[in-house]
Amino acid sequence: MLALVPAPTSRAAAHPQEQALQSAVNEVRLRHGLRPLRIDPVLVRAARSYSRTLIERHIFRHGAFAARLSSFGARGPAFGENLAWAVGPSATATVILRAWLASPGHRANLLRVGWKRMGIGAEVGTFWGYRGATVVTADFAGS
């Protein structure tokens, strides 16, 4: 199962899932003639926190993500966010990125020229009754 919702590091090392998604996002951007995004520790902290919140509350929506990112100290002036959750073989960076690219809203976020920074948070837990679900928040900032 894979679900998506489009919308306009506190720890020293990223999780393997986060690293794989960060690399995949930047590879796609390079293939489209865009510069890679640098990892912003504030956005990573915000993304990880929100992925945990989604699991804990069993919700899957963005809410006021710009205000949430600002509350962590993220700098804009513009923000974007992609969400995904998956279980089992669908919980890979390749499958999640492919799904984002197939969705016009997610694709626009990934390929926005003005983005300069990103933070990805992937958390695993029981989500909507699925044990071992991976919930991903990808936050973007720039102009």
Side-chain angles (χ1 to χ4, degrees):
M1 166 173 258
L2 175 68
L4 305 169
V5 175
T9 69
S10 59
R11 291 177 233 164
H15 300 252
Q17 176 83 358
E18 293 169 352
Q19 288 176 333
L21 274 166
Q22 291 162 359
S23 294
V25 166
N26 278 331
E27 286 171 19
V28 165
R29 288 180 61 83
L30 287 170
R31 276 188 299 213
H32 285 86
L34 300 169
R35 70 175 169 200
L37 303 176
R38 84 177 159 78
I39 304 306
D40 182 328
V42 172
L43 293 175
V44 171
R45 192 167 38 100
R48 286 177 179 164
S49 174
Y50 197 57
S51 289
R52 279 191 303 276
T53 296
L54 295 174
I55 289 172
E56 290 167 1
R57 295 184 184 170
H58 298 279
I59 58 172
F60 194 66
R61 64 178 178 264
H62 294 281
F65 70 91
R68 175 171 27 87
L69 294 175
S70 291
S71 77
F72 276 85
R75 296 175 292 110
F79 299 110
E81 184 170 80
N82 283 355
L83 300 177
W85 76 275
V87 178
S90 295
T92 66
T94 301
V95 173
I96 290 169
L97 186 68
R98 208 176 287 146
W100 280 344
L101 289 170
S103 161
H106 292 91
R107 183 182 184 88
N109 261 346
L110 292 172
L111 300 178
R112 183 172 169 155
V113 174
W115 294 148
K116 294 178 176 49
R117 301 174 319 279
M118 75 172 154
I120 295 179
E123 297 290 333
V124 177
T126 300
F127 188 64
W128 287 351
Y130 291 91
R131 297 181 74 175
T134 300
V135 175
V136 177
T137 302
D139 289 322
F140 306 94
S143 56

mmCIF file of all heavy atoms in Angstrom, residues 93-137:
data_model
loop_
_atom_site.group_PDB
_atom_site.id
_atom_site.type_symbol
_atom_site.label_atom_id
_atom_site.label_comp_id
_atom_site.label_asym_id
_atom_site.label_seq_id
_atom_site.Cartn_x
_atom_site.Cartn_y
_atom_site.Cartn_z
ATOM 1 N N ALA A 93 12.702 4.030 -1.132
ATOM 2 C CA ALA A 93 12.880 5.362 -1.707
ATOM 3 C C ALA A 93 12.489 5.375 -3.179
ATOM 4 O O ALA A 93 11.855 6.317 -3.655
ATOM 5 C CB ALA A 93 14.335 5.814 -1.532
ATOM 6 N N THR A 94 12.821 4.322 -3.896
ATOM 7 C CA THR A 94 12.525 4.253 -5.330
ATOM 8 C C THR A 94 11.023 4.295 -5.582
ATOM 9 O O THR A 94 10.548 5.048 -6.438
ATOM 10 C CB THR A 94 13.128 2.972 -5.946
ATOM 11 O OG1 THR A 94 14.542 2.996 -5.730
ATOM 12 C CG2 THR A 94 12.828 2.862 -7.420
ATOM 13 N N VAL A 95 10.266 3.509 -4.843
ATOM 14 C CA VAL A 95 8.813 3.458 -5.044
ATOM 15 C C VAL A 95 8.169 4.778 -4.633
ATOM 16 O O VAL A 95 7.305 5.314 -5.337
ATOM 17 C CB VAL A 95 8.190 2.269 -4.276
ATOM 18 C CG1 VAL A 95 6.675 2.307 -4.337
ATOM 19 C CG2 VAL A 95 8.716 0.949 -4.831
ATOM 20 N N ILE A 96 8.585 5.329 -3.501
ATOM 21 C CA ILE A 96 8.018 6.600 -3.037
ATOM 22 C C ILE A 96 8.332 7.714 -4.036
ATOM 23 O O ILE A 96 7.446 8.480 -4.415
ATOM 24 C CB ILE A 96 8.512 6.928 -1.619
ATOM 25 C CG1 ILE A 96 7.885 5.948 -0.619
ATOM 26 C CG2 ILE A 96 8.179 8.376 -1.244
ATOM 27 C CD1 ILE A 96 8.487 5.991 0.762
ATOM 28 N N LEU A 97 9.572 7.796 -4.489
ATOM 29 C CA LEU A 97 9.939 8.845 -5.436
ATOM 30 C C LEU A 97 9.175 8.675 -6.749
ATOM 31 O O LEU A 97 8.695 9.656 -7.327
ATOM 32 C CB LEU A 97 11.442 8.852 -5.686
ATOM 33 C CG LEU A 97 11.895 10.019 -6.543
ATOM 34 C CD1 LEU A 97 11.725 11.344 -5.801
ATOM 35 C CD2 LEU A 97 13.329 9.853 -6.958
ATOM 36 N N ARG A 98 9.040 7.453 -7.222
ATOM 37 C CA ARG A 98 8.297 7.200 -8.458
ATOM 38 C C ARG A 98 6.843 7.671 -8.316
ATOM 39 O O ARG A 98 6.287 8.280 -9.236
ATOM 40 C CB ARG A 98 8.349 5.706 -8.784
ATOM 41 C CG ARG A 98 8.246 5.418 -10.255
ATOM 42 C CD ARG A 98 8.404 3.943 -10.577
ATOM 43 N NE ARG A 98 9.792 3.522 -10.412
ATOM 44 C CZ ARG A 98 10.174 2.324 -9.982
ATOM 45 N NH1 ARG A 98 9.283 1.412 -9.663
ATOM 46 N NH2 ARG A 98 11.444 2.020 -9.875
ATOM 47 N N ALA A 99 6.251 7.406 -7.155
ATOM 48 C CA ALA A 99 4.869 7.840 -6.919
ATOM 49 C C ALA A 99 4.782 9.362 -6.871
ATOM 50 O O ALA A 99 3.851 9.958 -7.430
ATOM 51 C CB ALA A 99 4.343 7.223 -5.626
ATOM 52 N N TRP A 100 5.735 10.009 -6.200
ATOM 53 C CA TRP A 100 5.742 11.472 -6.165
ATOM 54 C C TRP A 100 5.856 12.045 -7.574
ATOM 55 O O TRP A 100 5.189 13.012 -7.915
ATOM 56 C CB TRP A 100 6.883 11.989 -5.296
ATOM 57 C CG TRP A 100 6.615 11.951 -3.818
ATOM 58 C CD1 TRP A 100 5.409 11.801 -3.198
ATOM 59 C CD2 TRP A 100 7.579 12.079 -2.775
ATOM 60 N NE1 TRP A 100 5.564 11.829 -1.824
ATOM 61 C CE2 TRP A 100 6.887 12.000 -1.550
ATOM 62 C CE3 TRP A 100 8.960 12.247 -2.768
ATOM 63 C CZ2 TRP A 100 7.542 12.094 -0.315
ATOM 64 C CZ3 TRP A 100 9.611 12.341 -1.541
ATOM 65 C CH2 TRP A 100 8.902 12.259 -0.325
ATOM 66 N N LEU A 101 6.715 11.469 -8.404
ATOM 67 C CA LEU A 101 6.899 11.978 -9.758
ATOM 68 C C LEU A 101 5.668 11.755 -10.631
ATOM 69 O O LEU A 101 5.435 12.508 -11.585
ATOM 70 C CB LEU A 101 8.133 11.345 -10.412
ATOM 71 C CG LEU A 101 9.463 11.818 -9.846
ATOM 72 C CD1 LEU A 101 10.607 10.958 -10.372
ATOM 73 C CD2 LEU A 101 9.703 13.291 -10.164
ATOM 74 N N ALA A 102 4.860 10.763 -10.316
ATOM 75 C CA ALA A 102 3.642 10.493 -11.079
ATOM 76 C C ALA A 102 2.486 11.404 -10.676
ATOM 77 O O ALA A 102 1.470 11.462 -11.366
ATOM 78 C CB ALA A 102 3.232 9.027 -10.893
ATOM 79 N N SER A 103 2.644 12.118 -9.579
ATOM 80 C CA SER A 103 1.608 13.021 -9.075
ATOM 81 C C SER A 103 1.994 14.461 -9.418
ATOM 82 O O SER A 103 3.066 14.924 -9.030
ATOM 83 C CB SER A 103 1.504 12.862 -7.554
ATOM 84 O OG SER A 103 0.865 13.980 -6.969
ATOM 85 N N PRO A 104 1.145 15.188 -10.162
ATOM 86 C CA PRO A 104 1.514 16.549 -10.570
ATOM 87 C C PRO A 104 1.915 17.471 -9.409
ATOM 88 O O PRO A 104 2.908 18.202 -9.523
ATOM 89 C CB PRO A 104 0.255 17.064 -11.275
ATOM 90 C CG PRO A 104 -0.410 15.825 -11.790
ATOM 91 C CD PRO A 104 -0.145 14.778 -10.733
ATOM 92 N N GLY A 105 1.215 17.440 -8.304
ATOM 93 C CA GLY A 105 1.549 18.300 -7.172
ATOM 94 C C GLY A 105 2.886 17.955 -6.535
ATOM 95 O O GLY A 105 3.691 18.839 -6.230
ATOM 96 N N HIS A 106 3.123 16.662 -6.360
ATOM 97 C CA HIS A 106 4.394 16.224 -5.786
ATOM 98 C C HIS A 106 5.550 16.513 -6.739
ATOM 99 O O HIS A 106 6.620 16.961 -6.326
ATOM 100 C CB HIS A 106 4.364 14.726 -5.490
ATOM 101 C CG HIS A 106 3.443 14.359 -4.387
ATOM 102 N ND1 HIS A 106 2.138 14.017 -4.609
ATOM 103 C CD2 HIS A 106 3.634 14.300 -3.053
ATOM 104 C CE1 HIS A 106 1.558 13.750 -3.457
ATOM 105 N NE2 HIS A 106 2.443 13.918 -2.491
ATOM 106 N N ARG A 107 5.316 16.240 -8.001
ATOM 107 C CA ARG A 107 6.350 16.480 -9.014
ATOM 108 C C ARG A 107 6.746 17.957 -9.035
ATOM 109 O O ARG A 107 7.933 18.288 -9.086
ATOM 110 C CB ARG A 107 5.842 16.038 -10.386
ATOM 111 C CG ARG A 107 6.851 16.181 -11.488
ATOM 112 C CD ARG A 107 6.222 15.761 -12.831
ATOM 113 N NE ARG A 107 7.209 15.805 -13.861
ATOM 114 C CZ ARG A 107 8.030 14.812 -14.186
ATOM 115 N NH1 ARG A 107 7.970 13.666 -13.523
ATOM 116 N NH2 ARG A 107 8.917 14.948 -15.131
ATOM 117 N N ALA A 108 5.747 18.830 -8.981
ATOM 118 C CA ALA A 108 6.020 20.271 -8.970
ATOM 119 C C ALA A 108 6.878 20.646 -7.761
ATOM 120 O O ALA A 108 7.794 21.468 -7.869
ATOM 121 C CB ALA A 108 4.716 21.064 -8.979
ATOM 122 N N ASN A 109 6.588 20.056 -6.605
ATOM 123 C CA ASN A 109 7.399 20.331 -5.420
ATOM 124 C C ASN A 109 8.838 19.864 -5.613
ATOM 125 O O ASN A 109 9.776 20.580 -5.292
ATOM 126 C CB ASN A 109 6.814 19.645 -4.182
ATOM 127 C CG ASN A 109 6.001 20.589 -3.336
ATOM 128 O OD1 ASN A 109 6.051 21.799 -3.486
ATOM 129 N ND2 ASN A 109 5.246 20.019 -2.427
ATOM 130 N N LEU A 110 9.007 18.661 -6.131
ATOM 131 C CA LEU A 110 10.352 18.116 -6.310
ATOM 132 C C LEU A 110 11.183 18.922 -7.305
ATOM 133 O O LEU A 110 12.393 19.048 -7.146
ATOM 134 C CB LEU A 110 10.281 16.661 -6.787
ATOM 135 C CG LEU A 110 9.741 15.656 -5.785
ATOM 136 C CD1 LEU A 110 9.545 14.304 -6.458
ATOM 137 C CD2 LEU A 110 10.650 15.540 -4.586
ATOM 138 N N LEU A 111 10.520 19.460 -8.324
ATOM 139 C CA LEU A 111 11.244 20.118 -9.410
ATOM 140 C C LEU A 111 11.125 21.637 -9.377
ATOM 141 O O LEU A 111 11.444 22.306 -10.368
ATOM 142 C CB LEU A 111 10.751 19.568 -10.761
ATOM 143 C CG LEU A 111 10.936 18.059 -10.955
ATOM 144 C CD1 LEU A 111 10.372 17.621 -12.292
ATOM 145 C CD2 LEU A 111 12.395 17.663 -10.795
ATOM 146 N N ARG A 112 10.722 22.191 -8.276
ATOM 147 C CA ARG A 112 10.617 23.655 -8.178
ATOM 148 C C ARG A 112 12.011 24.280 -8.233
ATOM 149 O O ARG A 112 12.905 23.918 -7.459
ATOM 150 C CB ARG A 112 9.907 24.044 -6.888
ATOM 151 C CG ARG A 112 9.706 25.545 -6.778
ATOM 152 C CD ARG A 112 8.835 25.893 -5.612
ATOM 153 N NE ARG A 112 8.868 27.330 -5.390
ATOM 154 C CZ ARG A 112 7.912 27.991 -4.795
ATOM 155 N NH1 ARG A 112 6.842 27.354 -4.359
ATOM 156 N NH2 ARG A 112 8.026 29.285 -4.619
ATOM 157 N N VAL A 113 12.176 25.223 -9.134
ATOM 158 C CA VAL A 113 13.473 25.865 -9.354
ATOM 159 C C VAL A 113 13.958 26.602 -8.109
ATOM 160 O O VAL A 113 15.149 26.581 -7.795
ATOM 161 C CB VAL A 113 13.385 26.839 -10.559
ATOM 162 C CG1 VAL A 113 14.670 27.628 -10.714
ATOM 163 C CG2 VAL A 113 13.065 26.072 -11.827
ATOM 164 N N GLY A 114 13.066 27.255 -7.381
ATOM 165 C CA GLY A 114 13.455 28.103 -6.256
ATOM 166 C C GLY A 114 13.891 27.390 -4.995
ATOM 167 O O GLY A 114 14.457 28.019 -4.095
ATOM 168 N N TRP A 115 13.642 26.094 -4.903
ATOM 169 C CA TRP A 115 14.054 25.399 -3.678
ATOM 170 C C TRP A 115 15.567 25.377 -3.572
ATOM 171 O O TRP A 115 16.260 25.143 -4.553
ATOM 172 C CB TRP A 115 13.544 23.968 -3.630
ATOM 173 C CG TRP A 115 12.067 23.736 -3.539
ATOM 174 C CD1 TRP A 115 11.400 22.676 -4.074
ATOM 175 C CD2 TRP A 115 11.083 24.505 -2.857
ATOM 176 N NE1 TRP A 115 10.063 22.757 -3.790
ATOM 177 C CE2 TRP A 115 9.840 23.873 -3.040
ATOM 178 C CE3 TRP A 115 11.118 25.681 -2.125
ATOM 179 C CZ2 TRP A 115 8.649 24.370 -2.503
ATOM 180 C CZ3 TRP A 115 9.938 26.190 -1.597
ATOM 181 C CH2 TRP A 115 8.725 25.533 -1.777
ATOM 182 N N LYS A 116 16.036 25.574 -2.354
ATOM 183 C CA LYS A 116 17.473 25.525 -2.088
ATOM 184 C C LYS A 116 17.828 24.461 -1.052
ATOM 185 O O LYS A 116 18.920 23.939 -1.044
ATOM 186 C CB LYS A 116 17.962 26.891 -1.603
ATOM 187 C CG LYS A 116 17.867 27.975 -2.663
ATOM 188 C CD LYS A 116 18.303 29.311 -2.120
ATOM 189 C CE LYS A 116 18.312 30.393 -3.151
ATOM 190 N NZ LYS A 116 17.151 30.546 -3.967
ATOM 191 N N ARG A 117 16.865 24.161 -0.170
ATOM 192 C CA ARG A 117 17.122 23.257 0.953
ATOM 193 C C ARG A 117 15.979 22.261 1.101
ATOM 194 O O ARG A 117 14.847 22.537 0.710
ATOM 195 C CB ARG A 117 17.264 24.067 2.241
ATOM 196 C CG ARG A 117 18.381 25.083 2.193
ATOM 197 C CD ARG A 117 18.431 25.983 3.427
ATOM 198 N NE ARG A 117 17.170 26.471 3.951
ATOM 199 C CZ ARG A 117 16.492 27.517 3.459
ATOM 200 N NH1 ARG A 117 16.931 28.165 2.403
ATOM 201 N NH2 ARG A 117 15.375 27.910 4.023
ATOM 202 N N MET A 118 16.312 21.120 1.708
ATOM 203 C CA MET A 118 15.280 20.131 2.017
ATOM 204 C C MET A 118 15.619 19.423 3.316
ATOM 205 O O MET A 118 16.766 19.434 3.777
ATOM 206 C CB MET A 118 15.125 19.111 0.892
ATOM 207 C CG MET A 118 16.235 18.086 0.811
ATOM 208 S SD MET A 118 15.827 16.802 -0.397
ATOM 209 C CE MET A 118 17.460 16.281 -0.847
ATOM 210 N N GLY A 119 14.599 18.818 3.876
ATOM 211 C CA GLY A 119 14.750 17.952 5.032
ATOM 212 C C GLY A 119 13.768 16.814 4.885
ATOM 213 O O GLY A 119 12.605 17.049 4.542
ATOM 214 N N ILE A 120 14.232 15.607 5.094
ATOM 215 C CA ILE A 120 13.364 14.434 4.976
ATOM 216 C C ILE A 120 13.379 13.692 6.293
ATOM 217 O O ILE A 120 14.444 13.456 6.874
ATOM 218 C CB ILE A 120 13.814 13.518 3.822
ATOM 219 C CG1 ILE A 120 13.643 14.258 2.490
ATOM 220 C CG2 ILE A 120 13.035 12.199 3.832
ATOM 221 C CD1 ILE A 120 14.075 13.499 1.274
ATOM 222 N N GLY A 121 12.188 13.337 6.751
ATOM 223 C CA GLY A 121 12.043 12.555 7.968
ATOM 224 C C GLY A 121 11.233 11.307 7.680
ATOM 225 O O GLY A 121 10.105 11.395 7.190
ATOM 226 N N ALA A 122 11.804 10.150 7.944
ATOM 227 C CA ALA A 122 11.120 8.863 7.751
ATOM 228 C C ALA A 122 11.038 8.171 9.104
ATOM 229 O O ALA A 122 12.059 7.964 9.756
ATOM 230 C CB ALA A 122 11.864 7.997 6.753
ATOM 231 N N GLU A 123 9.832 7.854 9.510
ATOM 232 C CA GLU A 123 9.612 7.171 10.783
ATOM 233 C C GLU A 123 8.818 5.899 10.530
ATOM 234 O O GLU A 123 7.975 5.851 9.631
ATOM 235 C CB GLU A 123 8.855 8.070 11.762
ATOM 236 C CG GLU A 123 9.599 9.341 12.149
ATOM 237 C CD GLU A 123 10.814 9.091 13.034
ATOM 238 O OE1 GLU A 123 10.833 8.080 13.765
ATOM 239 O OE2 GLU A 123 11.741 9.910 12.987
ATOM 240 N N VAL A 124 9.084 4.883 11.315
ATOM 241 C CA VAL A 124 8.416 3.594 11.175
ATOM 242 C C VAL A 124 7.592 3.325 12.420
ATOM 243 O O VAL A 124 8.046 3.568 13.550
ATOM 244 C CB VAL A 124 9.445 2.458 10.955
ATOM 245 C CG1 VAL A 124 8.759 1.105 10.878
ATOM 246 C CG2 VAL A 124 10.275 2.724 9.704
ATOM 247 N N GLY A 125 6.385 2.841 12.216
ATOM 248 C CA GLY A 125 5.512 2.509 13.337
ATOM 249 C C GLY A 125 4.222 1.894 12.833
ATOM 250 O O GLY A 125 4.085 1.580 11.646
ATOM 251 N N THR A 126 3.278 1.736 13.733
ATOM 252 C CA THR A 126 1.957 1.239 13.357
ATOM 253 C C THR A 126 1.121 2.431 12.935
ATOM 254 O O THR A 126 0.949 3.383 13.693
ATOM 255 C CB THR A 126 1.291 0.490 14.525
ATOM 256 O OG1 THR A 126 2.131 -0.615 14.882
ATOM 257 C CG2 THR A 126 -0.082 -0.022 14.136
ATOM 258 N N PHE A 127 0.631 2.379 11.713
ATOM 259 C CA PHE A 127 -0.104 3.504 11.140
ATOM 260 C C PHE A 127 -1.370 2.978 10.487
ATOM 261 O O PHE A 127 -1.312 2.130 9.612
ATOM 262 C CB PHE A 127 0.786 4.224 10.117
ATOM 263 C CG PHE A 127 0.224 5.511 9.597
ATOM 264 C CD1 PHE A 127 0.025 6.592 10.442
ATOM 265 C CD2 PHE A 127 -0.087 5.656 8.259
ATOM 266 C CE1 PHE A 127 -0.483 7.789 9.964
ATOM 267 C CE2 PHE A 127 -0.584 6.853 7.766
ATOM 268 C CZ PHE A 127 -0.790 7.915 8.620
ATOM 269 N N TRP A 128 -2.499 3.463 10.942
ATOM 270 C CA TRP A 128 -3.812 3.044 10.449
ATOM 271 C C TRP A 128 -3.944 1.519 10.438
ATOM 272 O O TRP A 128 -4.480 0.931 9.510
ATOM 273 C CB TRP A 128 -4.090 3.615 9.069
ATOM 274 C CG TRP A 128 -4.398 5.080 9.069
ATOM 275 C CD1 TRP A 128 -4.612 5.888 10.151
ATOM 276 C CD2 TRP A 128 -4.514 5.921 7.934
ATOM 277 N NE1 TRP A 128 -4.850 7.172 9.744
ATOM 278 C CE2 TRP A 128 -4.792 7.223 8.397
ATOM 279 C CE3 TRP A 128 -4.394 5.717 6.573
ATOM 280 C CZ2 TRP A 128 -4.977 8.299 7.540
ATOM 281 C CZ3 TRP A 128 -4.570 6.783 5.721
ATOM 282 C CH2 TRP A 128 -4.865 8.053 6.207
ATOM 283 N N GLY A 129 -3.396 0.893 11.481
ATOM 284 C CA GLY A 129 -3.493 -0.552 11.633
ATOM 285 C C GLY A 129 -2.411 -1.355 10.937
ATOM 286 O O GLY A 129 -2.358 -2.571 11.080
ATOM 287 N N TYR A 130 -1.537 -0.716 10.197
ATOM 288 C CA TYR A 130 -0.459 -1.400 9.500
ATOM 289 C C TYR A 130 0.814 -1.322 10.339
ATOM 290 O O TYR A 130 1.354 -0.239 10.543
ATOM 291 C CB TYR A 130 -0.193 -0.772 8.125
ATOM 292 C CG TYR A 130 -1.302 -1.000 7.136
ATOM 293 C CD1 TYR A 130 -2.337 -0.076 7.022
ATOM 294 C CD2 TYR A 130 -1.323 -2.133 6.338
ATOM 295 C CE1 TYR A 130 -3.369 -0.280 6.122
ATOM 296 C CE2 TYR A 130 -2.339 -2.349 5.437
ATOM 297 C CZ TYR A 130 -3.367 -1.415 5.340
ATOM 298 O OH TYR A 130 -4.382 -1.627 4.439
ATOM 299 N N ARG A 131 1.287 -2.465 10.817
ATOM 300 C CA ARG A 131 2.529 -2.501 11.578
ATOM 301 C C ARG A 131 3.711 -2.356 10.629
ATOM 302 O O ARG A 131 3.693 -2.847 9.516
ATOM 303 C CB ARG A 131 2.638 -3.819 12.339
ATOM 304 C CG ARG A 131 1.525 -3.975 13.370
ATOM 305 C CD ARG A 131 1.658 -5.251 14.105
ATOM 306 N NE ARG A 131 2.791 -5.072 15.020
ATOM 307 C CZ ARG A 131 3.165 -5.951 15.910
ATOM 308 N NH1 ARG A 131 2.538 -7.084 16.010
ATOM 309 N NH2 ARG A 131 4.185 -5.719 16.695
ATOM 310 N N GLY A 132 4.738 -1.658 11.082
ATOM 311 C CA GLY A 132 5.929 -1.484 10.270
ATOM 312 C C GLY A 132 5.749 -0.524 9.107
ATOM 313 O O GLY A 132 6.512 -0.570 8.140
ATOM 314 N N ALA A 133 4.752 0.352 9.203
ATOM 315 C CA ALA A 133 4.541 1.347 8.137
ATOM 316 C C ALA A 133 5.628 2.421 8.216
ATOM 317 O O ALA A 133 6.058 2.803 9.303
ATOM 318 C CB ALA A 133 3.165 1.990 8.291
ATOM 319 N N THR A 134 6.062 2.887 7.070
ATOM 320 C CA THR A 134 7.009 3.999 6.987
ATOM 321 C C THR A 134 6.232 5.237 6.569
ATOM 322 O O THR A 134 5.543 5.238 5.554
ATOM 323 C CB THR A 134 8.112 3.717 5.952
ATOM 324 O OG1 THR A 134 8.824 2.532 6.340
ATOM 325 C CG2 THR A 134 9.090 4.884 5.850
ATOM 326 N N VAL A 135 6.346 6.288 7.384
ATOM 327 C CA VAL A 135 5.702 7.558 7.090
ATOM 328 C C VAL A 135 6.816 8.563 6.791
ATOM 329 O O VAL A 135 7.759 8.697 7.557
ATOM 330 C CB VAL A 135 4.835 8.044 8.274
ATOM 331 C CG1 VAL A 135 4.268 9.430 7.998
ATOM 332 C CG2 VAL A 135 3.703 7.046 8.530
ATOM 333 N N VAL A 136 6.708 9.232 5.647
ATOM 334 C CA VAL A 136 7.747 10.151 5.176
ATOM 335 C C VAL A 136 7.185 11.559 5.036
ATOM 336 O O VAL A 136 6.125 11.753 4.459
ATOM 337 C CB VAL A 136 8.301 9.706 3.800
ATOM 338 C CG1 VAL A 136 9.322 10.693 3.278
ATOM 339 C CG2 VAL A 136 8.897 8.300 3.889
ATOM 340 N N THR A 137 7.944 12.513 5.576
ATOM 341 C CA THR A 137 7.681 13.930 5.348
ATOM 342 C C THR A 137 8.910 14.503 4.660
ATOM 343 O O THR A 137 10.025 14.313 5.131
ATOM 344 C CB THR A 137 7.456 14.677 6.681
ATOM 345 O OG1 THR A 137 6.347 14.071 7.376
ATOM 346 C CG2 THR A 137 7.168 16.153 6.448
#
